[in-house]
Amino acid sequence: QVQLVESGGGLVQAGGSLRLSCAASRVSFSIASMAWYRQVPGNERELVARITRGGSTTYADSVKGRFTISRDNAKNTVHLQMSSLKPEDTAVYYCYANRQGPLIVYWGQGTQVTVSS
């Protein structure tokens, strides 16, 4: 069973930066897309950024220009560099990965990011 383990969350002041990392283990196939989602209690989980195996990226409008997603296919890792953080970025951030044919998705356990004003 694939495991995704996140790291790098924590408490930061508004305007600061954090780097989230996620490592996938027990992988015996080529991971298609990897992504970061976030969730605030009472709200639905929302996409923050996604990156395909080929490197194409998608960002939520709220993080464009501030966050950068990257991945290392050989190491099965994905990173999220977060800059100019705002209090509204406070959430639990989840790592996501999937495989195609048929579609199977995997989630990490989540890492808390708290941005103080």
Side-chain angles (χ1 to χ4, degrees), residues 39-66:
Q39 187 170 26
V40 175
N43 290 3
E44 292 187 356
R45 194 170 295 187
E46 64 173 4
L47 175 68
V48 176
R50 178 174 57 232
I51 185 167
T52 67
R53 187 168 186 83
S56 296
T57 58
T58 303
Y59 294 93
D61 288 342
S62 59
V63 307
K64 284 181 180 177
R66 300 188 298 122

PDB file of all heavy atoms in Angstrom, residues 39-66:
ATOM      1  N   GLN A  39      -7.496  22.007   3.911  1.00  0.00           N
ATOM      2  CA  GLN A  39      -8.839  21.963   4.477  1.00  0.00           C
ATOM      3  C   GLN A  39      -8.868  22.695   5.799  1.00  0.00           C
ATOM      4  O   GLN A  39      -8.004  22.504   6.662  1.00  0.00           O
ATOM      5  CB  GLN A  39      -9.295  20.514   4.674  1.00  0.00           C
ATOM      6  CG  GLN A  39     -10.732  20.355   5.092  1.00  0.00           C
ATOM      7  CD  GLN A  39     -11.188  18.908   5.033  1.00  0.00           C
ATOM      8  OE1 GLN A  39     -10.390  17.990   5.138  1.00  0.00           O
ATOM      9  NE2 GLN A  39     -12.482  18.709   4.857  1.00  0.00           N
ATOM     10  N   VAL A  40      -9.895  23.520   5.937  1.00  0.00           N
ATOM     11  CA  VAL A  40     -10.185  24.224   7.179  1.00  0.00           C
ATOM     12  C   VAL A  40     -11.408  23.556   7.787  1.00  0.00           C
ATOM     13  O   VAL A  40     -12.330  23.188   7.052  1.00  0.00           O
ATOM     14  CB  VAL A  40     -10.467  25.715   6.913  1.00  0.00           C
ATOM     15  CG1 VAL A  40     -10.887  26.421   8.184  1.00  0.00           C
ATOM     16  CG2 VAL A  40      -9.246  26.393   6.300  1.00  0.00           C
ATOM     17  N   PRO A  41     -11.449  23.369   9.100  1.00  0.00           N
ATOM     18  CA  PRO A  41     -12.617  22.722   9.714  1.00  0.00           C
ATOM     19  C   PRO A  41     -13.916  23.364   9.267  1.00  0.00           C
ATOM     20  O   PRO A  41     -14.049  24.598   9.277  1.00  0.00           O
ATOM     21  CB  PRO A  41     -12.372  22.922  11.207  1.00  0.00           C
ATOM     22  CG  PRO A  41     -10.899  22.974  11.327  1.00  0.00           C
ATOM     23  CD  PRO A  41     -10.414  23.682  10.096  1.00  0.00           C
ATOM     24  N   GLY A  42     -14.863  22.533   8.843  1.00  0.00           N
ATOM     25  CA  GLY A  42     -16.162  23.017   8.400  1.00  0.00           C
ATOM     26  C   GLY A  42     -16.229  23.294   6.913  1.00  0.00           C
ATOM     27  O   GLY A  42     -17.315  23.554   6.393  1.00  0.00           O
ATOM     28  N   ASN A  43     -15.059  23.274   6.259  1.00  0.00           N
ATOM     29  CA  ASN A  43     -15.029  23.525   4.818  1.00  0.00           C
ATOM     30  C   ASN A  43     -14.607  22.274   4.059  1.00  0.00           C
ATOM     31  O   ASN A  43     -14.034  21.353   4.629  1.00  0.00           O
ATOM     32  CB  ASN A  43     -14.050  24.650   4.493  1.00  0.00           C
ATOM     33  CG  ASN A  43     -14.543  26.009   4.956  1.00  0.00           C
ATOM     34  OD1 ASN A  43     -15.603  26.124   5.572  1.00  0.00           O
ATOM     35  ND2 ASN A  43     -13.775  27.042   4.665  1.00  0.00           N
ATOM     36  N   GLU A  44     -14.895  22.273   2.766  1.00  0.00           N
ATOM     37  CA  GLU A  44     -14.448  21.176   1.928  1.00  0.00           C
ATOM     38  C   GLU A  44     -12.947  21.288   1.660  1.00  0.00           C
ATOM     39  O   GLU A  44     -12.377  22.378   1.697  1.00  0.00           O
ATOM     40  CB  GLU A  44     -15.210  21.185   0.597  1.00  0.00           C
ATOM     41  CG  GLU A  44     -16.682  20.858   0.723  1.00  0.00           C
ATOM     42  CD  GLU A  44     -17.357  20.712  -0.623  1.00  0.00           C
ATOM     43  OE1 GLU A  44     -16.696  20.944  -1.652  1.00  0.00           O
ATOM     44  OE2 GLU A  44     -18.551  20.361  -0.651  1.00  0.00           O
ATOM     45  N   ARG A  45     -12.358  20.132   1.397  1.00  0.00           N
ATOM     46  CA  ARG A  45     -10.951  20.123   1.022  1.00  0.00           C
ATOM     47  C   ARG A  45     -10.820  20.781  -0.355  1.00  0.00           C
ATOM     48  O   ARG A  45     -11.599  20.477  -1.274  1.00  0.00           O
ATOM     49  CB  ARG A  45     -10.439  18.682   0.985  1.00  0.00           C
ATOM     50  CG  ARG A  45      -8.944  18.536   0.934  1.00  0.00           C
ATOM     51  CD  ARG A  45      -8.541  17.086   1.157  1.00  0.00           C
ATOM     52  NE  ARG A  45      -8.877  16.623   2.507  1.00  0.00           N
ATOM     53  CZ  ARG A  45      -8.513  15.433   2.992  1.00  0.00           C
ATOM     54  NH1 ARG A  45      -7.790  14.609   2.219  1.00  0.00           N
ATOM     55  NH2 ARG A  45      -8.856  15.080   4.204  1.00  0.00           N
ATOM     56  N   GLU A  46      -9.851  21.661  -0.509  1.00  0.00           N
ATOM     57  CA  GLU A  46      -9.698  22.375  -1.766  1.00  0.00           C
ATOM     58  C   GLU A  46      -8.309  22.171  -2.348  1.00  0.00           C
ATOM     59  O   GLU A  46      -7.326  22.035  -1.614  1.00  0.00           O
ATOM     60  CB  GLU A  46      -9.959  23.876  -1.577  1.00  0.00           C
ATOM     61  CG  GLU A  46      -8.970  24.582  -0.672  1.00  0.00           C
ATOM     62  CD  GLU A  46      -9.167  26.092  -0.639  1.00  0.00           C
ATOM     63  OE1 GLU A  46     -10.122  26.609  -1.263  1.00  0.00           O
ATOM     64  OE2 GLU A  46      -8.338  26.770   0.007  1.00  0.00           O
ATOM     65  N   LEU A  47      -8.259  22.185  -3.675  1.00  0.00           N
ATOM     66  CA  LEU A  47      -6.976  22.043  -4.355  1.00  0.00           C
ATOM     67  C   LEU A  47      -6.156  23.314  -4.182  1.00  0.00           C
ATOM     68  O   LEU A  47      -6.651  24.415  -4.402  1.00  0.00           O
ATOM     69  CB  LEU A  47      -7.207  21.770  -5.842  1.00  0.00           C
ATOM     70  CG  LEU A  47      -5.959  21.719  -6.717  1.00  0.00           C
ATOM     71  CD1 LEU A  47      -5.120  20.498  -6.373  1.00  0.00           C
ATOM     72  CD2 LEU A  47      -6.333  21.729  -8.188  1.00  0.00           C
ATOM     73  N   VAL A  48      -4.900  23.150  -3.839  1.00  0.00           N
ATOM     74  CA  VAL A  48      -3.975  24.271  -3.745  1.00  0.00           C
ATOM     75  C   VAL A  48      -3.104  24.323  -5.004  1.00  0.00           C
ATOM     76  O   VAL A  48      -3.007  25.352  -5.659  1.00  0.00           O
ATOM     77  CB  VAL A  48      -3.072  24.140  -2.503  1.00  0.00           C
ATOM     78  CG1 VAL A  48      -2.048  25.269  -2.462  1.00  0.00           C
ATOM     79  CG2 VAL A  48      -3.907  24.135  -1.235  1.00  0.00           C
ATOM     80  N   ALA A  49      -2.479  23.194  -5.326  1.00  0.00           N
ATOM     81  CA  ALA A  49      -1.615  23.125  -6.500  1.00  0.00           C
ATOM     82  C   ALA A  49      -1.481  21.675  -6.929  1.00  0.00           C
ATOM     83  O   ALA A  49      -1.514  20.772  -6.093  1.00  0.00           O
ATOM     84  CB  ALA A  49      -0.240  23.725  -6.203  1.00  0.00           C
ATOM     85  N   ARG A  50      -1.307  21.483  -8.233  1.00  0.00           N
ATOM     86  CA  ARG A  50      -1.171  20.141  -8.789  1.00  0.00           C
ATOM     87  C   ARG A  50      -0.063  20.146  -9.825  1.00  0.00           C
ATOM     88  O   ARG A  50       0.140  21.146 -10.527  1.00  0.00           O
ATOM     89  CB  ARG A  50      -2.485  19.685  -9.419  1.00  0.00           C
ATOM     90  CG  ARG A  50      -2.434  18.316 -10.073  1.00  0.00           C
ATOM     91  CD  ARG A  50      -3.801  17.881 -10.545  1.00  0.00           C
ATOM     92  NE  ARG A  50      -4.389  18.839 -11.455  1.00  0.00           N
ATOM     93  CZ  ARG A  50      -5.618  19.342 -11.299  1.00  0.00           C
ATOM     94  NH1 ARG A  50      -6.359  18.990 -10.284  1.00  0.00           N
ATOM     95  NH2 ARG A  50      -6.086  20.204 -12.177  1.00  0.00           N
ATOM     96  N   ILE A  51       0.639  19.038  -9.930  1.00  0.00           N
ATOM     97  CA  ILE A  51       1.706  18.911 -10.924  1.00  0.00           C
ATOM     98  C   ILE A  51       1.635  17.517 -11.547  1.00  0.00           C
ATOM     99  O   ILE A  51       1.519  16.511 -10.838  1.00  0.00           O
ATOM    100  CB  ILE A  51       3.089  19.193 -10.293  1.00  0.00           C
ATOM    101  CG1 ILE A  51       4.191  19.183 -11.366  1.00  0.00           C
ATOM    102  CG2 ILE A  51       3.412  18.242  -9.153  1.00  0.00           C
ATOM    103  CD1 ILE A  51       5.521  19.758 -10.869  1.00  0.00           C
ATOM    104  N   THR A  52       1.690  17.480 -12.866  1.00  0.00           N
ATOM    105  CA  THR A  52       1.661  16.212 -13.564  1.00  0.00           C
ATOM    106  C   THR A  52       3.064  15.605 -13.607  1.00  0.00           C
ATOM    107  O   THR A  52       4.047  16.258 -13.249  1.00  0.00           O
ATOM    108  CB  THR A  52       1.156  16.378 -14.999  1.00  0.00           C
ATOM    109  OG1 THR A  52       2.137  17.136 -15.734  1.00  0.00           O
ATOM    110  CG2 THR A  52      -0.182  17.093 -15.033  1.00  0.00           C
ATOM    111  N   ARG A  53       3.131  14.379 -14.070  1.00  0.00           N
ATOM    112  CA  ARG A  53       4.425  13.727 -14.156  1.00  0.00           C
ATOM    113  C   ARG A  53       5.350  14.481 -15.112  1.00  0.00           C
ATOM    114  O   ARG A  53       6.559  14.531 -14.913  1.00  0.00           O
ATOM    115  CB  ARG A  53       4.258  12.275 -14.600  1.00  0.00           C
ATOM    116  CG  ARG A  53       5.544  11.469 -14.562  1.00  0.00           C
ATOM    117  CD  ARG A  53       5.317  10.000 -14.721  1.00  0.00           C
ATOM    118  NE  ARG A  53       6.567   9.270 -14.534  1.00  0.00           N
ATOM    119  CZ  ARG A  53       7.041   8.948 -13.340  1.00  0.00           C
ATOM    120  NH1 ARG A  53       6.370   9.266 -12.251  1.00  0.00           N
ATOM    121  NH2 ARG A  53       8.200   8.280 -13.239  1.00  0.00           N
ATOM    122  N   GLY A  54       4.748  15.099 -16.114  1.00  0.00           N
ATOM    123  CA  GLY A  54       5.527  15.857 -17.083  1.00  0.00           C
ATOM    124  C   GLY A  54       5.885  17.258 -16.638  1.00  0.00           C
ATOM    125  O   GLY A  54       6.626  17.962 -17.341  1.00  0.00           O
ATOM    126  N   GLY A  55       5.359  17.677 -15.500  1.00  0.00           N
ATOM    127  CA  GLY A  55       5.730  18.977 -14.952  1.00  0.00           C
ATOM    128  C   GLY A  55       4.727  20.091 -15.165  1.00  0.00           C
ATOM    129  O   GLY A  55       4.982  21.230 -14.764  1.00  0.00           O
ATOM    130  N   SER A  56       3.590  19.796 -15.764  1.00  0.00           N
ATOM    131  CA  SER A  56       2.572  20.830 -15.920  1.00  0.00           C
ATOM    132  C   SER A  56       1.932  21.127 -14.569  1.00  0.00           C
ATOM    133  O   SER A  56       1.644  20.199 -13.803  1.00  0.00           O
ATOM    134  CB  SER A  56       1.506  20.372 -16.916  1.00  0.00           C
ATOM    135  OG  SER A  56       2.061  20.207 -18.199  1.00  0.00           O
ATOM    136  N   THR A  57       1.716  22.405 -14.296  1.00  0.00           N
ATOM    137  CA  THR A  57       1.211  22.805 -12.984  1.00  0.00           C
ATOM    138  C   THR A  57      -0.118  23.540 -13.073  1.00  0.00           C
ATOM    139  O   THR A  57      -0.423  24.192 -14.086  1.00  0.00           O
ATOM    140  CB  THR A  57       2.229  23.698 -12.253  1.00  0.00           C
ATOM    141  OG1 THR A  57       2.509  24.841 -13.066  1.00  0.00           O
ATOM    142  CG2 THR A  57       3.520  22.944 -11.983  1.00  0.00           C
ATOM    143  N   THR A  58      -0.876  23.445 -12.012  1.00  0.00           N
ATOM    144  CA  THR A  58      -2.130  24.156 -11.850  1.00  0.00           C
ATOM    145  C   THR A  58      -2.158  24.702 -10.430  1.00  0.00           C
ATOM    146  O   THR A  58      -1.778  23.990  -9.490  1.00  0.00           O
ATOM    147  CB  THR A  58      -3.337  23.223 -12.056  1.00  0.00           C
ATOM    148  OG1 THR A  58      -3.262  22.631 -13.348  1.00  0.00           O
ATOM    149  CG2 THR A  58      -4.645  23.984 -11.922  1.00  0.00           C
ATOM    150  N   TYR A  59      -2.623  25.939 -10.283  1.00  0.00           N
ATOM    151  CA  TYR A  59      -2.697  26.570  -8.972  1.00  0.00           C
ATOM    152  C   TYR A  59      -4.077  27.146  -8.716  1.00  0.00           C
ATOM    153  O   TYR A  59      -4.744  27.618  -9.632  1.00  0.00           O
ATOM    154  CB  TYR A  59      -1.680  27.716  -8.860  1.00  0.00           C
ATOM    155  CG  TYR A  59      -0.234  27.281  -8.897  1.00  0.00           C
ATOM    156  CD1 TYR A  59       0.472  27.244 -10.087  1.00  0.00           C
ATOM    157  CD2 TYR A  59       0.420  26.903  -7.728  1.00  0.00           C
ATOM    158  CE1 TYR A  59       1.801  26.849 -10.128  1.00  0.00           C
ATOM    159  CE2 TYR A  59       1.750  26.503  -7.750  1.00  0.00           C
ATOM    160  CZ  TYR A  59       2.439  26.479  -8.959  1.00  0.00           C
ATOM    161  OH  TYR A  59       3.741  26.075  -8.991  1.00  0.00           O
ATOM    162  N   ALA A  60      -4.478  27.124  -7.464  1.00  0.00           N
ATOM    163  CA  ALA A  60      -5.665  27.853  -7.070  1.00  0.00           C
ATOM    164  C   ALA A  60      -5.386  29.340  -7.238  1.00  0.00           C
ATOM    165  O   ALA A  60      -4.250  29.803  -7.024  1.00  0.00           O
ATOM    166  CB  ALA A  60      -6.007  27.542  -5.616  1.00  0.00           C
ATOM    167  N   ASP A  61      -6.401  30.095  -7.620  1.00  0.00           N
ATOM    168  CA  ASP A  61      -6.211  31.529  -7.836  1.00  0.00           C
ATOM    169  C   ASP A  61      -5.660  32.211  -6.583  1.00  0.00           C
ATOM    170  O   ASP A  61      -4.869  33.146  -6.686  1.00  0.00           O
ATOM    171  CB  ASP A  61      -7.533  32.177  -8.242  1.00  0.00           C
ATOM    172  CG  ASP A  61      -7.948  31.811  -9.653  1.00  0.00           C
ATOM    173  OD1 ASP A  61      -7.088  31.350 -10.436  1.00  0.00           O
ATOM    174  OD2 ASP A  61      -9.136  31.978  -9.978  1.00  0.00           O
ATOM    175  N   SER A  62      -6.076  31.729  -5.435  1.00  0.00           N
ATOM    176  CA  SER A  62      -5.695  32.381  -4.181  1.00  0.00           C
ATOM    177  C   SER A  62      -4.204  32.251  -3.855  1.00  0.00           C
ATOM    178  O   SER A  62      -3.701  32.974  -2.993  1.00  0.00           O
ATOM    179  CB  SER A  62      -6.512  31.804  -3.025  1.00  0.00           C
ATOM    180  OG  SER A  62      -6.289  30.411  -2.913  1.00  0.00           O
ATOM    181  N   VAL A  63      -3.507  31.335  -4.520  1.00  0.00           N
ATOM    182  CA  VAL A  63      -2.089  31.129  -4.196  1.00  0.00           C
ATOM    183  C   VAL A  63      -1.154  31.436  -5.367  1.00  0.00           C
ATOM    184  O   VAL A  63       0.061  31.369  -5.215  1.00  0.00           O
ATOM    185  CB  VAL A  63      -1.823  29.689  -3.700  1.00  0.00           C
ATOM    186  CG1 VAL A  63      -2.751  29.342  -2.548  1.00  0.00           C
ATOM    187  CG2 VAL A  63      -1.949  28.679  -4.823  1.00  0.00           C
ATOM    188  N   LYS A  64      -1.722  31.773  -6.507  1.00  0.00           N
ATOM    189  CA  LYS A  64      -0.892  32.067  -7.682  1.00  0.00           C
ATOM    190  C   LYS A  64       0.083  33.208  -7.378  1.00  0.00           C
ATOM    191  O   LYS A  64      -0.303  34.226  -6.796  1.00  0.00           O
ATOM    192  CB  LYS A  64      -1.772  32.433  -8.873  1.00  0.00           C
ATOM    193  CG  LYS A  64      -2.444  31.249  -9.527  1.00  0.00           C
ATOM    194  CD  LYS A  64      -3.285  31.685 -10.721  1.00  0.00           C
ATOM    195  CE  LYS A  64      -3.972  30.502 -11.376  1.00  0.00           C
ATOM    196  NZ  LYS A  64      -4.854  30.920 -12.501  1.00  0.00           N
ATOM    197  N   GLY A  65       1.319  32.997  -7.766  1.00  0.00           N
ATOM    198  CA  GLY A  65       2.342  34.008  -7.526  1.00  0.00           C
ATOM    199  C   GLY A  65       2.986  33.921  -6.153  1.00  0.00           C
ATOM    200  O   GLY A  65       3.995  34.598  -5.909  1.00  0.00           O
ATOM    201  N   ARG A  66       2.417  33.125  -5.266  1.00  0.00           N
ATOM    202  CA  ARG A  66       2.969  33.000  -3.905  1.00  0.00           C
ATOM    203  C   ARG A  66       3.488  31.595  -3.623  1.00  0.00           C
ATOM    204  O   ARG A  66       4.442  31.424  -2.871  1.00  0.00           O
ATOM    205  CB  ARG A  66       1.915  33.364  -2.878  1.00  0.00           C
ATOM    206  CG  ARG A  66       1.382  34.778  -2.998  1.00  0.00           C
ATOM    207  CD  ARG A  66       0.465  35.135  -1.812  1.00  0.00           C
ATOM    208  NE  ARG A  66      -0.704  34.290  -1.729  1.00  0.00           N
ATOM    209  CZ  ARG A  66      -1.011  33.545  -0.672  1.00  0.00           C
ATOM    210  NH1 ARG A  66      -0.234  33.545   0.389  1.00  0.00           N
ATOM    211  NH2 ARG A  66      -2.125  32.809  -0.673  1.00  0.00           N
TER     212      ARG A  66
END
